[in-house]
């Protein structure tokens, strides 16, 4: 079946492309050889399904890469009469019969190297490791397709020209480099997650991040933050089916129907988080995953443990004192200790120039003001959030809440006559 | 120490490539003369700023960034010419170069013969 073949190809892609990139030291060549092999596979497998999909693709891609190298070498010699190709085809064919080396981690480290621009690392990783198209990446990262293409091309050129090594970093560099990889995946996932209305469109994209974070947890099972990130992505994905109502309006976490959450992902995530916690090294992603887990516990208990969530945010803010965490912490304090407590936490942010143009700040403020019964101020905050071009599903949610606040305001006034 | 500053755009496109060939020939002639006279101790062309990576030291931390040193506040204060296998080795040495707080070390590969 075609879909199954496509699925098989996508599943083995990270491993095969990484092995190709390691052998040929050329990302473009690895990607092109794999695409050619995959196209051939879709035809060949219809006649005769292979015993081992990865091995079939690896052999076919190695053959194609050698061909391409040889042709390029012939062209080069014709121009400059310089050097021989690096390895003979025979040597490489022998290599192709060996088991596929697992070079996925090295490839992820190359694509997330701090010598590349941060906004490019996530896109490059998803492009090279997962095979996402430039067009889909452009949509996910909200840039035009030519801009995305330019970023990817520039990053690949820099890897080649600046000599970014295809290597696992030295122990001294490990914390910085691993953090770059994890941030890359976090950025990639956040891009896909932001727009709830993209459910259909973003689903394959988030599936890739889900897969990649799983790959990372598989190759680095001793790193608590790696396991925590894999857990975090699973917890967030588990809620996807509940994020929109049947009219396409965003449903905030606390109003979601737990019956719609995906049990398989919740169980997988819980296992990963448990293993991460057992290692006894606390990190920001582990706390974030614990916050997600606390929200999901509502599926069993019927009520979200807001006081516990607020405490977790206190711990998180010590490690990650950024605006995103501060806004979420304020919301949790509002739920746990009352709207005034939430507004007080949010007020500490009022002087930050960045929050004025940051939609989640105004949306959180609107909701806390509404909760406090300050409907007039809430309406103003809703308006501020709506001015900052929310995605469709969120726009409709904000409009609904604003209409409710307006009704409460009129109702309130009516009682005072 | 002579430092060469030029707009990269001058060497782009077909006309740029012709200009580059001309300029490189002039560099080689000049270098030959200076070396023969015992004046020149070293030198080389650098690859484009596209290939630059910068190690920034500040606030008790060292971080690696994409791109060249771009501030006008600090001044070029010296240089090391090293030969290593890859960027990570170069960055490891760049981190060891002593700089004042806020100091930056830009890493740029030299042009090779086959570039």
């Amino acid at each position: 079946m075609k879909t199954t073949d496509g699925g098989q190809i996508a599943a083995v892609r990270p491993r095969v492309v990484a092995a190709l990139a390691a052998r040929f030291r050329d990302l473009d060549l690895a990607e092109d050889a794999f695409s050619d092999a995959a196209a051939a596979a879709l035809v060949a497998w219809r006649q005769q399904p292979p015993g081992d999909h990865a091995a079939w693709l690896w052999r076919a891609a190695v053959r194609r890469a050698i061909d391409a190298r040889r042709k390029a070498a012939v062209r080069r010699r014709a121009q400059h009469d310089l050097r021989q190709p690096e390895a003979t085809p025979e040597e490489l064919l022998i290599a192709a019969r060996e088991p596929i080396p697992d070079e996925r981690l090295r490839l992820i480290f190359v694509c997330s190297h701090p010598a590349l621009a941060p906004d490019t690392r996530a896109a490059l990783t998803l492009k090279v490791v997962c095979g996402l198209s430039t067009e889909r990446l452009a949509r996910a990262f909200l840039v035009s397709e030519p801009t995305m293409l330019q970023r990817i091309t520039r990053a690949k050129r820099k890897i080649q020209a600046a000599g970014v090594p295809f290597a696992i970093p030295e122990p001294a560099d490990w914390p910085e480099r691993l953090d770059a990889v994890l941030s890359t995946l976090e950025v990639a996932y956040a891009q896909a997650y932001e727009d709830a209305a993209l459910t259909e469109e973003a689903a394959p994209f988030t599936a890739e991040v889900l897969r990649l974070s799983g790959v990372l947890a598989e190759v680095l099972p001793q790193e608590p933050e790696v396991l925590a990130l894999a857990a975090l992505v699973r917890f967030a994905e588990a809620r996807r089916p509940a994020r929109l109502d049947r009219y396409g309006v965003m449903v905030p976490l606390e109003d979601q129907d737990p019956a719609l959450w995906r049990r398989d992902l919740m169980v997988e995530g819980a296992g990963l988080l448990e293993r991460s916690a057992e290692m006894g090294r606390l990190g920001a992603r582990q706390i974030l995953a614990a916050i997600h887990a606390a929200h999901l516990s509502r599926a069993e208990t019927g009520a979200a443990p807001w006081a516990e969530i607020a405490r977790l945010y206190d711990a998180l803010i010590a490690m990650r004192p950024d605006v995103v965490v501060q806004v979420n912490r304020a919301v949790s304090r509002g739920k746990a200790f009352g709207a005034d407590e939430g507004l007080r936490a949010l007020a500490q942010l009022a002087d930050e120039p960045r929050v004025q143009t940051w939609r989640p700040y105004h949306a959180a403020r609107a909701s806390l003001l509404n909760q406090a019964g300050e409907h007039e101020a809430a309406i103003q905050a809703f308006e501020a959030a709506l001015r900052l071009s929310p995605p469709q599903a969120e726009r409709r949610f904000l409009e609904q809440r604003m209409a409710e606040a307006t009704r409460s305001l009129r109702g309130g006034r009516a009682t005072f006559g | 120490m002579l430092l060469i500053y030029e707009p990269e755009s001058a060497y782009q496109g077909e006309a740029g490539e012709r200009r580059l060939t001309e300029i490189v020939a002039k560099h080689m002639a000049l270098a030959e003369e200076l070396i023969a006279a015992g004046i020149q101790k070293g030198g080389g062309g650098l690859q484009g700023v596209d290939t630059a990576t910068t190690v920034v030291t500040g606030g008790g931390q060292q971080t690696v960034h994409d791109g060249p040193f771009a501030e006008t506040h600090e001044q070029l204060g010296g240089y090391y010419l090293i030969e290593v296998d890859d960027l990570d080795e170069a960055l490891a040495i760049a981190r060891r170069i002593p700089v004042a707080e806020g100091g930056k070390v830009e890493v740029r590969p030299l042009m090779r013969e086959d570039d």
Side-chain angles (χ1 to χ4, degrees):
Chain A
M1 233 170 38
K2 203 177 163 218
T3 47
T4 313
D5 285 348
Q8 291 281 5
I9 290 170
V12 303
R13 182 189 161 103
R15 187 156 185 153
V16 176
V17 169
L20 289 166
R23 185 163 294 288
F24 295 98
R25 302 289 151 127
D26 184 334
L27 294 183
D28 279 329
L29 183 66
E31 280 192 287
D32 292 347
F34 185 83
S35 307
D36 288 352
L42 287 176
V43 178
W45 294 358
R46 232 175 287 155
Q47 308 295 323
Q48 196 190 359
D52 181 340
H53 295 82
W56 195 101
L57 285 164
W58 166 241
R59 275 194 303 274
V62 166
R63 210 159 41 232
R64 280 167 168 81
I66 293 168
D67 273 353
R69 265 282 158 86
R70 207 164 30 199
K71 279 178 195 149
V74 168
R75 273 200 302 277
R76 206 190 247 274
R77 271 205 303 280
Q79 278 173 9
H80 303 289
D81 198 21
L82 282 171
R83 47 157 133 166
Q84 296 291 317
E86 297 150 19
T88 67
E90 290 74 20
E91 281 169 344
L92 289 165
L93 278 175
I94 290 167
R97 262 182 249 118
E98 293 163 2
I100 313 169
D102 190 352
E103 307 285 10
R104 289 174 294 183
L105 186 58
R106 290 211 273 170
L107 184 61
I108 295 172
F109 270 114
V110 169
C111 294
S112 309
H113 198 285
L116 305 174
D119 56 354
T120 308
R121 291 176 211 157
L124 185 68
T125 306
L126 289 163
K127 168 85 169 54
V128 176
V129 184
C130 301
L132 258 62
S133 70
T134 313
E135 185 222 340
R136 200 197 276 167
L137 288 168
R139 247 185 300 142
F141 288 86
L142 306 174
V143 296
S144 71
E145 216 181 314
T147 304
M148 181 51 74
L149 185 65
Q150 201 180 17
R151 280 186 195 171
I152 301 255
T153 312
R154 186 183 169 255
K156 283 182 177 168
R157 203 166 53 221
K158 177 155 185 192
I159 288 171
Q160 208 83 33
V164 172
F166 208 89
I168 303 290
E170 295 293 314
D173 297 336
W174 184 257
E176 184 193 4
R177 296 289 307 276
L178 181 64
D179 200 63
V181 166
L182 294 173
S183 306
T184 296
L185 280 184
E186 262 189 279
V187 168
Y189 186 71
Q191 293 289 356
Y193 193 79
E194 172 145 336
D195 188 355
L198 280 175
T199 347
E200 294 283 306
E201 212 169 86
F205 185 88
T206 52
E208 296 300 345
V209 183
L210 199 67
R211 195 201 310 278
L212 207 51
S213 64
V215 166
L216 213 54
E218 199 183 303
V219 292
L220 291 173
Q222 297 306 321
E223 290 288 346
E225 285 290 274
V226 169
L227 300 180
L229 179 70
L232 176 59
V233 173
R234 273 150 192 79
F235 288 150
E237 274 304 283
R239 301 197 307 264
R240 176 173 299 281
R243 291 181 65 204
L244 290 185
D245 71 9
R246 60 199 155 116
Y247 306 108
V249 180
M250 182 187 95
V251 183
L253 176 50
E254 67 262 29
D255 295 340
Q256 287 171 9
D257 177 2
L260 297 173
W261 293 340
R262 280 182 57 183
R263 294 295 149 137
D264 55 335
L265 288 174
M266 287 164 68
V267 169
E268 235 180 273
L272 285 158
L273 178 57
E274 199 177 321
R275 279 168 53 205
S276 170
E278 274 166 8
M279 290 175 205
R281 279 183 283 155
L282 196 61
R285 294 175 189 92
Q286 205 182 104
I287 300 177
L288 257 177
I291 290 171
H292 280 260
H295 279 296
L296 292 173
S297 71
R298 182 158 66 84
E300 316 298 331
T301 62
W306 284 110
E308 184 193 330
I309 293 170
R311 264 199 310 278
L312 286 165
Y313 271 115
D314 286 344
L316 183 59
I317 210 155
M319 292 191 189
R320 249 190 211 185
D322 65 22
V323 220
V324 184
V325 177
Q326 284 178 335
V327 167
N328 287 328
R329 176 173 171 269
V331 172
S332 71
R333 294 190 76 76
K335 295 283 182 192
F337 314 117
D340 288 345
E341 191 56 41
L343 285 167
R344 219 182 338 265
L346 208 58
Q348 295 167 8
L349 274 174
D351 295 336
E352 283 268 346
R354 279 176 308 162
V355 298
Q356 293 312 320
T357 53
W358 196 55
R359 199 176 61 244
Y361 167 76
H362 295 287
R365 199 163 161 269
S367 145
L368 282 166
L369 286 165
N370 222 6
Q371 190 189 334
E374 295 180 40
H375 302 300
E376 202 155 352
I379 292 166
Q380 281 172 13
F382 278 124
E383 279 168 348
L386 282 163
R387 271 196 298 274
L388 294 164
S389 44
Q392 180 71 6
E394 192 184 331
R395 166 174 297 280
R396 297 173 65 182
F397 162 76
L398 291 168
E399 282 167 355
Q400 250 178 30
R401 287 287 162 99
M402 190 165 87
E404 282 165 24
T406 311
R407 273 197 299 278
S408 303
L409 185 65
R410 288 210 195 99
R413 271 184 188 153
T415 53
F416 291 112
Chain B
M1 176 83 205
L2 309 177
L3 301 168
I4 305 164
Y5 294 92
E6 289 172 292
E8 283 191 351
S9 56
Y11 298 119
Q12 278 157 7
E14 246 175 71
E17 268 176 42
R18 270 200 306 280
R19 194 173 295 129
L20 182 64
T21 313
E22 282 167 29
I23 298 261
V24 166
K26 287 181 187 168
H27 274 300
M28 285 167 79
L30 177 63
E32 206 173 312
E33 183 197 320
L34 295 176
I35 288 168
I39 296 171
Q40 189 178 342
K41 302 300 176 194
L46 299 182
Q47 294 199 32
V49 285
D50 259 14
T51 65
T53 307
T54 304
V55 175
V56 180
T57 300
Q61 270 190 324
Q62 287 190 318
T63 47
V64 175
H65 296 268
D66 177 37
F69 153 89
E71 306 290 323
T72 49
H73 193 65
E74 299 92 356
Q75 302 299 327
L76 184 65
Y79 77 110
Y80 280 72
L81 187 61
I82 57 169
E83 186 168 358
V84 291
D85 281 342
D86 58 51
L87 180 64
D88 281 357
E89 285 180 33
L91 290 172
I93 294 168
R95 286 170 187 275
R96 295 178 53 198
I97 294 178
V99 290
E101 172 74 14
K104 299 188 180 88
V105 177
E106 179 180 330
V107 177
R108 284 267 285 281
L110 290 184
M111 283 186 183
R112 292 172 304 228
E113 275 181 23
D114 56 352
D115 277 322

